[in-house]
């Protein structure tokens, strides 16, 4: 008897592709009912959920074309993501890289510097991560740690910060002169929105790992971070590598707007490919497949 609810193989495979994005979204509402006590504030995204997924998949298809163009032409791209804690940088980076080849599009998220790295030229630990031909590198925070968290938290002296501001414009001009396309994004959210997202992280067991002591301290020093951001813009917004601000209060809007803008900054075009034909499998009538021991298999619990 045929199961009428069963999908064709192609339909099931396509549904799995869509479910990848849905799985990434689940943490937004999985425990939402249990966390209603956090706030009575209502929020309605200006983007319909179906429209969001449709547009996201369209943009991700364009990102694949961008990837092909980068490989074909040997382009080198650096995208810097900075901004407030919990402003949505990580979510955008995930959507950009979700369907790309990790050998082409790499994410760099460096930990706190070691004692040895602290004694180096400040930019030294970032340079090895810059792209070679045919690569895109996405910095989830970057050398701007110096004018942000290091400055506000007292990890860098005022002299070190001043030296950074003097050096970074020329450092970025050197990167651009070497043939790298450098794009810088700053994700901005309101004080209230950050507070709500931090409360979600505190009470949601799926998100608690995202909350660090530095994040908590950033709430206390909101105004200090604002002043640091303003001076960073004033002194590092150069024509060769300008800042672009992404409004992040609505996550879906921020993701679509950022990806769309990133694509608009690249003169990419679709690269023609030779038609691919699946070769026939070789068949040896004398080969007999061995039966493997049962203990090698993962138990089928689902």
């Amino acid at each position: 008897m045929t199961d009428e609810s069963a999908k064709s193989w192609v339909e099931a495979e396509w549904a799995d592709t869509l479910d990848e994005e849905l799985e990434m979204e689940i943490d937004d509402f999985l425990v939402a009912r249990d966390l209603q006590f956090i706030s009575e504030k209502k929020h309605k995204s200006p983007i319909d959920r179906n429209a969001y997924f449709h547009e996201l998949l369209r943009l991700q298809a364009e990102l694949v074309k961008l990837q092909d163009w980068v490989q074909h032409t040997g382009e080198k791209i650096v995208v810097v993501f900075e901004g407030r804690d919990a402003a949505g940088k990580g979510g955008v980076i995930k959507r950009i890289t979700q369907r790309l080849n990790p050998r082409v599009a790499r994410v760099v998220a460096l930990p706190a510097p070691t004692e040895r790295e602290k004694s180096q030229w400040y930019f030294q630990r970032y340079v090895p991560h810059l792209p070679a031909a045919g690569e895109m590198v996405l910095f989830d925070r970057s050398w701007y740690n110096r004018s942000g968290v290091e400055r506000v938290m007292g990890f860098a002296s005022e002299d070190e910060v001043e030296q950074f501001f003097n050096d970074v414009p020329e450092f970025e001009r050197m990167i651009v002169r070497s043939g790298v396309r450098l794009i810088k994004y700053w994700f901005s959210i309101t004080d209230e929105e950050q507070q709500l997202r931090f409360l979600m992280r505190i009470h949601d067991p799926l998100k608690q790992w995202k909350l660090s002591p530095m994040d908590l301290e950033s709430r206390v020093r909101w105004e200090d971070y604002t002043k640091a951001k303003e001076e960073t813009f004033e002194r590092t917004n150069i024509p060769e590598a300008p800042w672009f601000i992404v409004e992040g209060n609505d996550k879906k809007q921020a993701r679509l707007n950022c990806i769309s803008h990133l694509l608009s900054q690249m003169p990419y075009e679709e690269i023609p490919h030779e038609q691919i034909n699946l070769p026939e499998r070789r068949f040896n009538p004398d080969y007999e497949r061995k039966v493997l021991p049962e203990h090698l298999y993962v138990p089928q619990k689902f």
Side-chain angles (χ1 to χ4, degrees), residues 29-37:
F29 57 82
L30 185 62
V31 293
R33 291 182 179 178
D34 295 335
L35 302 178
Q36 289 293 336
F37 66 90

Side-chain angles (χ1 to χ4, degrees), residues 2-18:
T2 304
D3 183 358
E4 296 296 332
S5 66
K7 301 175 181 176
S8 72
W9 183 89
V10 172
E11 289 173 330
E13 192 72 10
W14 178 244
D16 284 344
T17 299
L18 299 180

